[in-house]
Amino acid sequence: MVRILTVPLEKFWLKKLPSLDIGDTRIIPWKDLPSNIQEAIEARAKSFVVLDSIVFPFVLEMPVRDDELPRRTLDRALTVFKLFKDDLVLANLIFDGDKLVDYLPHYVHWIDRDRGLKQYQLDKNEASEFADFWKEFIGLPPGNFAVYRFHLADYRAYSRDRLTDYVESLEYLLVPDSGEGEIGYKFRSRGCLLFGENVDASKREAIYNELKELYELRSAIVHGDSSRESRLVPDNIWENRLRPLRHYNREAIKLFFRARCLEDSDKRRALLEKKLLFEAKIA
């Protein structure tokens, strides 16, 4: 018998959609749950904070694998949401029927003042695309370093830590041969060719320079070079750095997962060599 987990979703809304069916997974209104499950979720939520009303109008119902912890099932789901678009779905309660099977108090999102935390919305025009995307990516391995770091970043309390997580996730994907040196050069050159594959030379150069600065910023952070850090974030608006970095991170995870080499460094290297011919110098 397949176990179905119920996850209350915060900051999530189906716009002009009564529900969303994705094969064996559903997103349904809170009011459509059996009353005993509603009562169990409400009681548990109110034990953490005083609520005047339910703050999760929708819930996710999805199967859990026999060999997977419920929190890893949730990790996969939350990662798919933010790979689809640059917004966040919040969740840290997991129920099996009316029984709480996991509570993740550390799954608290810390948001830069310049990013904000707007509601994650899916409208009826996106429903089909999202359903196809979900089916394609829900098999992501949550323990993969790149996937884990991308997911973890949103739970970091400080912008510096978030940026470091994203860069390390991207470095894992773009530099599978880090032991051979020239990590910074490989990071920016491969990234610029990969993310600038279908744009003109000036845009590729801009991507190259941006990735160069992002890697330098990560180095400044981990080595305590505050003067270089201030030069690279002169306005102290970290979201200006984090937003494009998240975009690159999402695109790289999707590319390597689709190529079936997310977890195989040799295959990633072969793909990069074939696709990008990065041995050539960038003009």
Side-chain angles (χ1 to χ4, degrees):
M1 183 176 178
V2 178
R3 293 170 55 209
I4 300 296
L5 301 181
T6 300
V7 178
L9 303 178
E10 296 185 59
K11 293 291 182 180
F12 179 87
W13 189 259
L14 290 179
K15 187 176 181 182
K16 297 182 179 180
L17 279 171
S19 61
L20 183 58
D21 288 326
I22 315 170
D24 57 6
T25 296
R26 299 192 304 163
I27 300 175
I28 63 173
W30 157 269
K31 63 182 177 61
D32 289 353
L33 288 172
S35 59
N36 64 312
I37 299 180
Q38 287 189 38
E39 291 167 4
I41 293 175
E42 187 170 18
R44 188 62 181 178
K46 286 184 175 180
S47 70
F48 304 132
V49 62
V50 176
L51 299 175
D52 295 325
S53 61
I54 294 301
V55 295
F56 25 77
F58 288 89
V59 298
L60 173 70
E61 291 187 332
M62 65 179 297
V64 61
R65 299 171 180 171
D66 290 338
D67 60 344
E68 184 172 73
L69 293 172
R71 64 178 57 192
R72 297 288 82 88
T73 304
L74 178 59
D75 284 338
R76 288 191 291 113
L78 294 177
T79 302
V80 173
F81 277 118
K82 56 190 174 185
L83 284 175
F84 184 72
K85 62 168 64 177
D86 191 27
D87 292 321
L88 298 167
V89 175
L90 312 188
N92 63 8
L93 294 170
I94 310 172
F95 288 80
D96 184 347
D98 61 0
K99 178 184 177 183
L100 180 71
V101 292
D102 218 333
Y103 164 52
L104 311 173
H106 53 292
Y107 276 27
V108 174
H109 289 75
W110 299 81
I111 305 299
D112 286 284
R113 65 183 186 276
D114 304 297
R115 183 184 187 187
L117 185 57
K118 62 182 180 179
Q119 191 177 64
Y120 193 110
Q121 292 191 2
L122 292 174
D123 62 36
K124 61 182 180 181
N125 295 321
E126 296 174 298
S128 177
E129 180 185 359
F130 178 77
D132 290 341
F133 189 89
W134 180 279
K135 291 173 186 176
E136 182 179 10
F137 286 98
I138 195 57
L140 277 169
N144 173 265
F145 183 85
V147 174
Y148 169 73
R149 286 292 181 181
F150 172 75
H151 182 44
L152 175 67
D154 288 310
Y155 303 109
R156 297 291 202 182
Y158 299 102
S159 303
R160 291 174 179 84
D161 294 327
R162 282 193 285 282
L163 185 134
T164 300
D165 280 335
Y166 288 133
V167 171
E168 289 181 351
S169 172
L170 198 54
E171 180 183 330
Y172 171 94
L173 296 171
L174 296 178
V175 195
D177 51 345
S178 60
E180 298 176 17
E182 296 188 325
I183 297 174
Y185 172 74
K186 292 172 181 176
F187 180 86
R188 61 186 182 264
S189 61
R190 296 172 185 179
C192 113
L193 291 170
L194 191 68
F195 306 128
E197 186 176 14
N198 299 313
V199 300
D200 61 32
S202 62
K203 178 60 176 175
R204 282 198 300 276
E205 182 179 4
I207 294 172
Y208 178 91
N209 290 331
E210 185 171 48
L211 289 170
K212 181 176 183 291
E213 291 185 351
L214 287 167
Y215 197 82
E216 288 178 357
L217 180 54
R218 177 261 181 195
S219 296
I221 292 168
V222 300
H223 296 296
D225 191 339
S226 56
S227 61
R228 184 162 54 146
E229 179 184 313
S230 297
R231 176 178 63 80
L232 292 167
V233 194
D235 51 11
N236 202 34
I237 300 178
W238 284 81
E239 180 60 7
N240 289 342
R241 289 298 191 181
L242 290 167
R243 188 184 304 109
L245 185 52
R246 283 196 305 272
H247 168 73
Y248 296 139
N249 214 166
R250 284 198 305 274
E251 294 306 304
I253 289 172
K254 289 186 289 186
L255 185 149
F256 289 109
F257 182 72
R258 282 171 169 151
R260 303 180 184 276
C261 59
L262 191 65
E263 299 193 275
D264 191 315
S265 59
D266 291 335
K267 289 183 179 179
R268 285 201 309 280
R269 179 174 183 173
L271 176 66
L272 286 164
E273 291 176 343
K274 180 179 179 180
K275 187 176 180 65
L276 305 177
L277 297 176
F278 56 76
E279 298 94 336
K281 296 292 184 180
I282 295 178

